[in-house]
């Protein structure tokens, strides 16, 4: 029971002058952008710049104080929590620390959206079990079904989080700092899974990160289903053509850059330059 | 000028909103019956030894201390009446509620607080579940059912504790139990059962409120836990006074 990828001209998320404040501090300051189906966006920014708030606002977990947020074309700015559930079922999210329920097993965690989302309650238990196994096989953790999150390493928890985010095959997947606090090898494994997920289903992906190399990987690599490995995009030989990845940079709640990787790397702005690793 | 009032008024408003949403959700689905029974087990069965001990020794201590005063008037035989009235009306409900606030109010706040700071509550919302329906309502219902039952057990154990002391004072079992039983009227039992029900609502909602509004990582969880116990304990004392006033005038 897939949500399936959206039509490529459909705007999946749109922010229109969105402002979010916490106790007088502005977390998002008049942020505007529109993201289309199948598109990949990398959201760069220092800690506390508003990346997580932006992701949570995109799926209605955080209410906007002003402006307008559209998810799959519907205005969710003032939408009631119960109405939001249907729209949220079309979005997958990987939280920064995984956000796994520590009282549930890995199997129960991954099955959670299948068993609780109203749009999927027609699904039988055997179908749910098969979907869970498939999602865990995708992140190569099928053997951890009966384990609890506390028994897993940080990287494994993140992989279970990915499995839970994609088990419903959503049209949009949000990743909140998927490699934060991980060693380089585990971080690469996580990024490879994210690229593989994106390219297998062609779902839209919005990834917040402070690591430019994660964005580079998203922009310049594709999953090759035949070899089962990532390979550099080489259309027209320069490794960049054909990439649908756009970069956004946040600074103190403001969206200070939106554009392609070459545009980001060509920028002379001192703040932007801090994030960019010149190739 | 009144800026200092903004934060407490905001907190009170948030608490009332949470209470209102929980009350509405009690009557609409989905109902998480398994979670409610699990909470009844944790709060009810888990708190049984604490309530039994508290009730028994409160009754015993009260009989011990009151016997001296009653002896002055030659009324030691009325010890059963004093123990049962004080326990059923006031001490049983209040002490049981304070024990549950310390044991389970803190547990609720720390569990929900940990879930909040590790983004499990956000995950729940993202994955199609209303955290009020899934987390608050089962705890509210479970506490509202088990706290009156625990209070009845604590009351009985307290009267039993008083009985043990009464025996050492030479009072016959018949005399003790008949004075203890006959002194109780509908008014006493009524307020003795209404109070734990009101306390249950306060303990569970305050615990849930502080847990779900936790910020600031693990330090915030500790702060939320302390606040939940302190605030619910204060409210228990305040509420018992007002319910007592209402029943005095009946």
């Amino acid at each position: 029971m897939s949500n399936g990828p959206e039509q490529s001209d459909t705007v999946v998320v749109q922010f229109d002058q969105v402002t979010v404040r916490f106790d007088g501090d502005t977390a998002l300051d008049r942020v505007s952008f529109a993201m289309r189906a199948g598109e990949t966006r990398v959201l760069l920014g220092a800690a506390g710049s508003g990346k997580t708030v932006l992701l949570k606002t995109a799926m209605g977990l955080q209410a906007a104080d002003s402006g307008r947020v559209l998810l799959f074309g519907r205005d969710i700015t003032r939408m009631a929590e119960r109405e939001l559930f249907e729209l949220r079922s079309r979005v997958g999210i990987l939280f920064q620390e995984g956000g796994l329920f520590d009282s549930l097993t890995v199997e129960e965690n991954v099955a959670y959206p299948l068993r609780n989302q109203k749009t999927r309650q027609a699904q039988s238990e055997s179908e749910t079990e098969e979907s869970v196994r498939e999602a865990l096989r995708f992140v190569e953790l099928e053997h951890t079904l009966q384990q609890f999150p506390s028994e897993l390493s940080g990287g494994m928890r993140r992989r279970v989080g990915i499995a839970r985010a994609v088990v419903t095959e959503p049209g949009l997947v949000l990743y909140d700092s998927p490699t934060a606090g991980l060693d380089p090898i585990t971080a690469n494994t996580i990024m490879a899974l994210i690229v593989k997920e994106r390219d297998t289903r062609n779902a839209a992906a919005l990834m917040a990160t402070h690591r430019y190399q994660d964005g580079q990987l998203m922009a310049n690599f594709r999953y090759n289903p035949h070899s089962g490995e990532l390979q550099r995009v080489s259309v027209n030989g320069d490794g960049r053509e054909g990439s649908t990845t756009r970069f956004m940079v946040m600074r103190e709640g403001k969206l200070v850059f939106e554009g392609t990787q070459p545009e980001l790397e060509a920028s002379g702005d001192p703040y932007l330059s801090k994030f960019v690793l010149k190739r | 000028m009144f800026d200092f009032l903004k934060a407490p008024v905001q907190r009170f408003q948030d608490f009332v909103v949470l209470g209102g949403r929980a009350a509405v959700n009690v009557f609409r689905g989905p109902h998480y019956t398994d979670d409610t029974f699990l909470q009844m087990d944790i709060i009810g069965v888990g708190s049984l030894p604490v309530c039994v001990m508290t009730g028994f020794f409160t009754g015993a201590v009260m009989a011990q201390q009151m016997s001296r005063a009653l002896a002055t008037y030659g009324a030691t035989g009325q010890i059963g009446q004093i123990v049962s009235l004080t326990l059923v009306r006031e001490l049983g409900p209040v002490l049981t509620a304070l024990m549950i606030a310390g044991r389970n109010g803190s547990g609720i706040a720390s569990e929900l607080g940990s879930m909040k700071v590790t983004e499990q509550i956000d995950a729940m919302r993202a994955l199609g579940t209303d955290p009020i329906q899934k987390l608050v309502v089962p705890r509210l219902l479970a506490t509202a059912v088990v706290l009156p039952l625990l209070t009845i057990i604590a009351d009985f154990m307290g009267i039993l504790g008083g009985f043990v002391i009464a025996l050492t004072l030479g009072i016959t079992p018949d005399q003790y139990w008949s004075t203890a039983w006959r002194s109780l009227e509908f008014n006493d039992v009524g307020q003795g059962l209404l109070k734990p029900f009101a306390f249950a609502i306060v303990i569970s909602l305050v615990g849930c409120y502080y847990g779900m509004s936790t910020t600031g990582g693990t330090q915030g969880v500790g702060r939320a836990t302390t606040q939940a116990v302190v605030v619910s304990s204060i409210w228990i004392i305040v509420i018992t006074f007002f319910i007592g006033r209402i029943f005095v005038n009946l």
Side-chain angles (χ1 to χ4, degrees):
Chain A
M1 199 172 165
S2 152
N3 282 316
E6 308 291 323
Q7 294 291 321
S8 61
D9 56 344
T10 312
V11 174
V12 287
V13 181
Q14 187 176 341
F15 274 47
D16 187 8
Q17 294 287 308
V18 173
T19 297
V20 175
R21 291 188 197 88
F22 295 112
D23 299 327
D25 295 329
T26 305
L28 290 186
D29 190 0
R30 287 164 289 164
V31 172
S32 296
F33 72 93
M35 183 174 164
R36 295 189 178 283
E39 194 180 334
T40 301
R41 292 230 172 192
V42 177
L43 181 61
L44 292 166
S49 59
K51 305 186 296 293
T52 300
V53 178
L54 187 144
L55 294 188
K56 288 186 178 175
T57 309
M59 67 183 304
L61 295 174
Q62 177 63 52
D65 288 295
S66 64
R68 226 162 51 110
V69 182
L70 278 81
L71 184 61
F72 298 109
R74 289 184 62 191
D75 189 343
I76 63 164
T77 322
R78 302 279 173 265
M79 197 177 271
E81 183 86 1
R82 287 195 171 230
E83 285 179 70
L84 276 166
F85 287 148
E86 189 273 326
L87 280 175
R88 283 184 192 147
S89 68
R90 298 163 68 186
V91 184
I93 182 166
L94 172 67
F95 290 95
Q96 196 163 343
E97 300 292 333
L100 300 179
F101 304 121
D102 45 22
S103 58
L104 303 182
T105 62
V106 166
E107 188 265 338
E108 289 165 336
N109 262 288
V110 179
Y112 195 92
L114 299 173
R115 290 179 179 145
N116 286 280
Q117 286 174 356
K118 272 191 177 168
T119 49
R120 305 182 174 275
Q121 281 172 353
Q123 193 164 338
S124 72
E125 194 53 31
S126 60
E127 284 173 320
T128 299
E129 280 171 23
E130 185 44 44
S131 301
V132 170
R133 281 186 183 279
E134 197 181 312
L136 283 169
R137 203 175 300 135
F138 180 81
V139 296
E140 295 161 18
L141 283 176
E142 205 183 349
H143 59 285
T144 64
L145 273 170
Q146 295 312 316
Q147 286 182 272
F148 284 91
S150 58
E151 298 173 272
L152 306 178
S153 68
M156 287 164 92
R157 280 202 293 272
R158 223 63 72 89
R159 281 152 69 189
V160 174
I162 293 175
R164 188 177 67 177
V166 303
V167 70
T168 56
E169 302 185 13
L172 166 68
V173 189
L174 310 173
Y175 300 98
D176 187 5
S177 303
T179 59
L182 298 178
D183 63 86
I185 297 169
T186 312
N188 280 340
T189 309
I190 297 290
M191 284 311 302
L193 283 172
I194 291 173
V195 173
K196 182 179 161 187
E197 149 62 22
R198 178 194 65 183
D199 296 338
T200 308
R201 292 196 310 105
N202 198 30
L206 174 55
M207 180 181 73
T209 181
H210 60 272
R211 288 181 9 131
Y212 186 64
Q213 56 266 51
D214 293 347
Q216 267 187 327
L217 204 74
M218 287 289 264
N220 300 301
F221 284 82
R222 289 284 176 275
Y223 174 69
N224 184 335
H226 303 295
S227 66
E229 290 179 352
L230 299 192
Q231 63 182 48
R232 186 173 273 275
V233 178
S234 56
V235 181
N236 296 336
D238 67 355
R240 297 188 192 187
E241 294 290 329
S243 169
T244 58
T245 305
R246 289 179 71 79
F247 285 72
M248 302 196 294
V249 183
M250 298 212 55
R251 181 183 189 176
E252 294 169 4
K254 287 191 169 72
L255 190 59
V256 292
F257 173 85
E258 184 184 356
T260 62
Q261 189 180 9
E263 287 167 350
L264 177 62
E265 291 179 355
S267 166
D269 184 281
Y271 180 76
L272 299 184
S273 303
K274 284 180 191 169
F275 288 98
V276 177
L277 299 172
K278 300 287 183 194
R279 291 182 293 178
Chain B
M1 185 179 171
F2 293 108
D3 278 1
F4 69 97
L5 285 174
K6 270 186 187 170
V9 169
Q10 178 71 47
R11 275 200 297 274
F12 185 70
Q13 180 185 310
D14 292 344
F15 176 76
V16 171
V17 169
L18 176 77
R21 288 179 61 190
V24 170
N25 283 8
V26 166
F27 301 102
R28 71 177 181 193
H31 296 290
Y32 296 97
T33 318
D34 290 353
D35 291 316
T36 308
F37 281 113
L38 179 68
Q39 289 302 320
M40 281 184 188
D41 184 48
I42 293 169
I43 300 167
V45 180
S47 305
L48 209 50
V50 178
C51 293
V52 165
M53 294 290 282
T54 308
F56 184 85
F57 284 101
T58 303
V61 165
M62 209 162 52
Q64 196 164 266
Q65 297 295 345
M66 293 309 291
S67 64
R68 284 181 61 194
L70 289 171
T72 314
Y73 305 103
T76 318
Q78 296 304 308
I79 199 99
Q81 180 181 355
I82 288 188
V83 169
S84 72
L85 270 182
T86 321
L87 272 169
V88 170
R89 273 190 192 171
E90 207 63 67
L91 284 183
V94 169
L95 290 178
T96 308
L98 288 175
M99 289 295 145
I100 299 300
R103 188 180 178 277
N104 299 103
S106 61
I108 291 171
S110 61
E111 186 184 1
L112 267 54
S114 302
M115 289 182 77
K116 176 80 188 323
V117 299
T118 55
E119 296 184 308
Q120 290 179 55
I121 289 183
D122 277 336
M124 207 170 260
R125 294 173 64 208
L127 299 173
T129 311
D130 180 356
I132 293 181
Q133 192 80 50
K134 173 83 175 161
L135 299 173
V136 179
V137 172
R139 283 162 179 77
L140 174 67
L141 289 177
T143 317
V145 169
V146 300
L147 190 53
L149 297 176
L150 287 171
T151 303
I152 292 170
I153 292 168
D155 288 348
F156 175 74
M157 290 308 296
I159 296 171
L160 195 65
F163 172 64
V164 171
I165 297 299
L167 285 181
T168 67
L169 298 171
I171 298 164
T172 64
D174 273 356
Q175 192 182 358
Y176 179 84
W177 288 109
S178 65
T179 52
W181 174 253
R182 283 181 193 164
S183 61
L184 293 176
E185 291 174 3
F186 175 77
N187 181 308
D188 307 315
V189 180
Q191 67 173 300
L193 290 177
L194 179 66
K195 280 177 184 175
F197 185 72
F199 298 155
I201 294 170
V202 169
I203 293 168
S204 53
L205 285 182
V206 167
C208 289
Y209 169 72
Y210 279 105
M212 291 183 74
S213 53
T214 302
T215 52
T218 47
Q219 203 179 14
V221 176
R223 204 166 41 238
T225 307
T226 310
Q227 283 174 322
V229 176
V230 171
V231 170
S232 46
S233 301
I234 291 170
W235 276 108
I236 286 165
I237 306 293
V238 172
I239 289 170
T240 197
F241 170 75
F242 283 107
I243 295 181
R245 288 298 304 168
I246 293 167
F247 275 85
V248 162
N249 295 329
L250 281 181

